Amino acid sequence: MTAPLTPPHQPPPHDSAWPAPDPALPGPDGGPGTATELRQAAVVTVVSAVAGALLGLLWLWLAPRVVLVSDGKAVFLRDGEGEAAIGMDGTFVLLGLGFGALAAALVFLIHRHGGIALVLGLAVGGVLGSLLGWGTGSWLGPERDVVAHAKAVGPNVFFEAPLELHMAAAAVLAWPVAAMIVHLALTAVFGPRDPEPEDGPWPPMPSTQV
C-alpha cells in the first residue's frame, strides 16, 4: 500500500520560509508614498526655517532707519514726517514674498509630485523662517532699549531706533502665503497630468437575425 497523499487544503509545513514583505508602493498618481511625502515636507520645513536667518540679515541691511534724538529729557524723531517706520515693514514683506516664491519654485523643481504635505511644509517653514528673520534682524540691529541708548549717546546726538515690525502679523504671513500660491500655481500649470482614459472598442451590437 502507498501512503496517502497530503490533501491540497492542508497548510504548508511549519519550517517553510515566511514570504517577503511587499515593497513600499507608490502613491495612486505615481508619486511618492505618504511616508516619503512626510519626510520631504519635514526637510522643506527645516530648510525654510533656517533660511529665515538670511532673511533677517537682508532686512537688517536693506531696511531704512528711523533716526532719533534726545534733548536730555525725552526722545524725538529727527524727521517727524519720515516714512522709515513704514519702510521697515515694507522691506520685510517684500523680502518675505521673494523668499516664499523662491522656496516654492525650488520645491516644485525638486519634487514634481508634491502633495498637500509639501504645501503645508512650505507654509509652516515660511512662518518659522519669518519669525527667525524678525528675531535675527532685531537682535543684530540697533540697541532695543531706546532710553538707555539715548542716555549713552547724550543729548542732541542722533542715533538709530531699533528694527521693529509695526504690522507683524501681515509681515510674518507674507512668506508662507507667497510660497503656497506660487507652488499651487506651478503645480497647476506645469505639474504632471492624470492620464486620459483610453477609448476601448464598442461592445458588439446584438444580433437581429432570427
Side-chain angles (χ1 to χ4, degrees):
M1 295 180 64
T2 59
L5 299 176
T6 303
H9 64 274
Q10 292 292 331
H14 293 289
D15 57 351
S16 61
W18 289 98
D22 295 334
L25 298 177
D29 58 349
T34 303
T36 302
E37 285 188 359
L38 291 177
R39 287 194 297 268
Q40 294 173 351
V43 172
V44 170
T45 302
V46 173
V47 173
S48 298
V50 173
L54 178 59
L55 170 64
L57 294 176
L58 291 175
W59 182 44
L60 177 63
W61 178 37
L62 299 174
R65 297 292 191 265
V66 175
V67 181
L68 306 175
V69 63
S70 171
D71 61 355
K73 297 180 181 180
V75 178
F76 304 93
L77 291 171
R78 186 185 68 173
D79 186 0
E81 299 180 357
E83 298 179 354
I86 300 177
M88 287 184 182
D89 288 42
T91 302
F92 192 94
V93 169
L94 291 177
L95 288 172
L97 294 175
F99 270 69
L102 179 60
L106 291 177
V107 169
F108 177 78
L109 290 175
I110 297 174
H111 307 292
R112 288 298 183 97
H113 289 275
I116 188 63
L118 282 176
V119 177
L120 292 177
L122 282 170
V124 175
V127 172
L128 296 177
S130 295
L131 292 175
L132 179 60
W134 182 12
T136 301
S138 300
W139 181 57
L140 296 178
E143 175 64 40
R144 297 193 57 81
D145 191 341
V146 175
V147 175
H149 197 179
K151 291 180 180 179
V153 299
N156 302 321
V157 176
F158 298 113
F159 62 96
E160 295 179 352
L163 281 180
E164 296 178 345
L165 288 178
H166 301 85
M167 298 181 294
V172 169
L173 291 177
W175 181 337
V177 170
M180 289 189 295
I181 292 177
V182 172
H183 188 272
L184 291 177
L186 291 175
T187 303
V189 176
F190 302 106
R193 306 293 183 184
D194 294 332
E196 295 292 338
E198 297 181 359
D199 296 333
W202 290 96
M205 297 295 293
S207 176
T208 58
Q209 297 180 359
V210 179

